[in-house]
Amino acid sequence: MDTYKSTNLTCDVNKDLEPFTYFYWLIFMVGFFGSCFALWAFTWKDSNQKCLSVYLINLLIADFLLTLALPFKIIVDMGYASWQLKIFHCQVTACIIYINMYISITFLGFVSMDRCLQTIQSAKLYQIQKRGFATMLSTVVWILVLSIMLPNMLIPTKSIAEREHVGCIDLKTEMGRNWHVLSNFISIAIFLNCSAIILISNFITIKKLYSKKDCEEASNIKSALIKILLVTAGYIICFLPYHIVRIPYTLSQNDVITDCSLKQVLFLAKESTFLLSVSNLCFDPIVYYYFSNNFRSKISKTFSLKRQERVEIVRENATDTAV
């Protein structure tokens, strides 16, 4: 038993993370500017805002939480963080990153569901497409996700000797480890349910649109089909690989899997797929563009104005040259 404990303690998996940090910086920069632009677009007044706008704004709030938390992960993974900052990251900012992930997954499900209901145009379902219902549902989602994730922040950590490679799980007490495992499996259940909503809703939407492909608006319908397929593919690429790896990785964290080399492989697989999940920060502005007419119109107006200004400058220069 003593030999096992000694072997387990010397199995460092939290190392060689620096290559990942360069991709995190890129995701942070792209996502930050995309989210700022989205915030600017959504702050413009729109008298025709529907429940879809409510879901997209909540998605944007989650993205800003991620932009606040991601620099802490980058600094810790690069090895520049103090011991106190490592503890703060494990107890606070790492949890914020997971809050973003499952808020994003849930509201992407709602966006797909709302798009499906708009396509069906059923009078029976009109009530759940009202802005008030969307606000109430969004509040319930935040309360649910926070009630799952906040205990990971609030349960005190244990004191351990400072060392270079330490995992967040090493700082958790027995109660903290048990809640961590429970919250992981609840989170996976959220992912599976939201994935079912997205796939079923998009399948119904695609089927409905495809049945109208021969009508006068065939080009618009084809464009809508491509958008839905792209969003579905983006969702699968961002979130599916991580959740395939997460179950065996959670088991390795709690010593159900004890082989050190396998633990190291699972950790690298988790970090690689986690990077894909965080890349939803770059993916979400595409969702805003495809699903929000308000966001799309702001982009069109902004860049069309810039083009007009450039044309006018070129004309003025040409006039000055001729004179």
Side-chain angles (χ1 to χ4, degrees):
M1 181 62 70
D2 291 339
T3 304
Y4 164 73
K5 288 181 178 178
S6 176
T7 304
N8 187 51
L9 287 172
T10 56
C11 184
D12 290 327
V13 297
N14 296 71
K15 56 184 180 180
D16 301 326
L17 294 175
E18 187 175 350
F20 293 102
T21 59
Y22 302 116
F23 293 101
Y24 281 123
W25 273 122
L26 179 62
I27 291 169
F28 170 76
M29 295 300 293
V30 174
F32 176 76
F33 287 111
S35 297
C36 286
F37 191 90
L39 177 64
W40 171 78
F42 283 126
T43 51
W44 284 37
K45 293 182 179 180
D46 183 7
S47 58
N48 295 319
Q49 282 188 335
K50 299 180 180 178
C51 67
L52 182 60
S53 296
V54 175
Y55 300 144
L56 293 177
I57 290 170
N58 279 275
L59 190 60
L60 179 59
I61 294 170
D63 286 347
F64 268 106
L65 284 176
L66 180 56
T67 60
L68 292 175
L70 202 53
F72 290 92
K73 176 173 175 58
I74 294 170
I75 294 170
V76 169
D77 288 353
M78 291 184 77
Y80 297 151
S82 64
W83 183 250
Q84 290 74 19
L85 186 58
K86 287 181 181 179
I87 295 174
F88 177 79
H89 168 67
C90 287
Q91 196 162 12
V92 179
T93 54
C95 295
I96 291 175
I97 292 173
Y98 283 104
I99 289 171
N100 159 265
M101 182 186 297
Y102 291 100
I103 287 291
S104 296
I105 287 170
T106 304
F107 282 104
L108 284 171
F110 289 161
V111 167
S112 295
M113 181 181 67
D114 183 79
R115 180 76 177 185
C116 178
L117 295 177
Q118 288 182 26
T119 305
I120 295 173
Q121 294 179 338
S122 172
K124 296 179 181 179
L125 300 173
Y126 176 72
Q127 292 298 323
I128 65 175
Q129 289 184 274
K130 287 187 175 181
R131 187 177 177 85
F133 178 84
T135 303
M136 180 191 70
L137 190 59
S138 300
T139 304
V140 171
V141 168
W142 278 100
I143 292 172
L144 174 64
V145 174
L146 290 175
S147 65
I148 295 168
M149 298 300 175
L150 282 181
N152 288 314
M153 292 188 191
L154 301 177
I155 296 174
T157 58
K158 64 181 180 181
S159 298
I160 63 172
E162 293 186 26
R163 64 178 191 264
E164 184 178 1
H165 303 298
V166 61
C168 292
I169 196 69
D170 299 324
L171 297 169
K172 293 184 180 294
T173 60
E174 184 179 356
M175 181 181 178
R177 282 174 174 259
N178 291 336
W179 185 264
H180 174 74
V181 173
L182 177 62
S183 64
N184 278 0
F185 283 103
I186 294 174
S187 299
I188 291 170
I190 292 173
F191 167 75
L192 292 175
N193 281 280
C194 290
S195 297
I197 291 172
I198 289 172
L199 294 176
I200 292 170
S201 297
N202 288 349
F203 174 77
I204 293 172
T205 305
I206 290 170
K207 185 178 179 182
K208 187 75 173 179
L209 291 173
Y210 190 76
S211 65
K212 300 178 180 179
K213 68 182 190 313
D214 297 325
C215 69
E216 294 179 357
E217 298 182 353
S219 60
N220 293 335
I221 290 172
K222 183 179 179 180
S223 176
L225 286 169
I226 293 172
K227 291 174 185 177
I228 293 169
L229 289 172
L230 285 174
V231 170
T232 305
Y235 174 86
I236 292 172
I237 292 170
C238 284
F239 297 115
L240 181 60
Y242 174 75
H243 287 87
I244 291 173
V245 172
R246 189 167 190 186
I247 292 176
Y249 175 71
T250 301
L251 297 177
S252 74
Q253 282 184 305
N254 290 273
D255 299 328
V256 176
I257 296 173
T258 57
D259 182 72
C260 185
S261 60
L262 182 55
K263 281 188 172 187
Q264 291 171 342
V265 169
L266 287 172
F267 178 75
L268 289 175
K270 187 272 293 186
E271 283 297 316
S272 301
T273 54
F274 187 75
L275 183 65
L276 288 175
S277 295
V278 173
S279 68
N280 82 89
L281 193 59
C282 305
F283 168 68
D284 286 346
I286 300 173
V287 176
Y288 305 143
Y289 182 82
Y290 282 152
F291 288 98
S292 173
N293 291 331
N294 190 40
F295 182 80
R296 192 162 54 250
S297 65
K298 299 303 178 293
I299 289 180
S300 300
K301 288 177 181 178
T302 300
F303 288 100
S304 64
L305 285 173
K306 288 183 177 180
R307 282 197 298 269
Q308 289 175 5
E309 289 174 359
R310 286 198 296 269
V311 170
E312 288 176 2
I313 291 170
V314 170
R315 286 177 179 173
E316 289 175 1
N317 290 338
T319 303
D320 292 340
T321 304
V323 174

